[in-house]
Amino acid sequence: EDTLLDEREVSLLRWRSRRGLVENDLFIERFFATYGSRLTASQARGISALMDLSDNDLLDLLLRRKEPEGELATDEIRAVLEQLRPRA
């Protein structure tokens, strides 16, 4: 299901995605600036799962120090993670 989120859903997701670490916020802000106007339900599920992580665990994934494992090793999460990660 790849229905687009409406403005309110994107706004709520963006608010929920605010982090304590500035580094994470920079990645997340760029993600919303790039994809926010056309976020899908699949992307929302992926980013929501990532937002459940601690700041340090999230940063490790964003900086490619670690790869998703276990429950995080889904296509949805991997796809959003690639969108969040800096371009090599």
Side-chain angles (χ1 to χ4, degrees), residues 60-77:
D60 284 345
L61 287 172
L62 292 173
L63 295 178
R64 294 181 170 86
R65 293 179 194 150
K66 294 182 181 173
E67 290 299 322
E69 297 175 353
E71 291 179 4
L72 293 179
T74 68
D75 290 342
E76 283 179 346
I77 291 172

Side-chain angles (χ1 to χ4, degrees), residues 7-71:
E7 279 186 46
R8 182 176 176 279
E9 291 169 320
V10 171
S11 178
L12 287 170
L13 186 61
R14 186 179 209 144
W15 184 86
R16 183 180 179 271
S17 298
R18 292 182 311 171
R19 306 302 297 197
L21 268 182
V22 172
E23 293 87 344
N24 286 341
D25 271 338
L26 294 174
F27 290 116
I28 293 163
E29 278 305 309
R30 190 187 65 223
F31 172 84
F32 278 102
T34 305
Y35 303 103
S37 63
R38 57 186 194 280
L39 271 182
T40 65
S42 175
Q43 287 170 307
R45 286 189 299 271
I47 200 161
S48 289
L50 290 170
M51 292 307 111
D52 288 338
L53 297 172
S54 73
D55 280 336
N56 290 329
D57 288 341
L58 178 59
L59 189 60
D60 284 345
L61 287 172
L62 292 173
L63 295 178
R64 294 181 170 86
R65 293 179 194 150
K66 294 182 181 173
E67 290 299 322
E69 297 175 353
E71 291 179 4

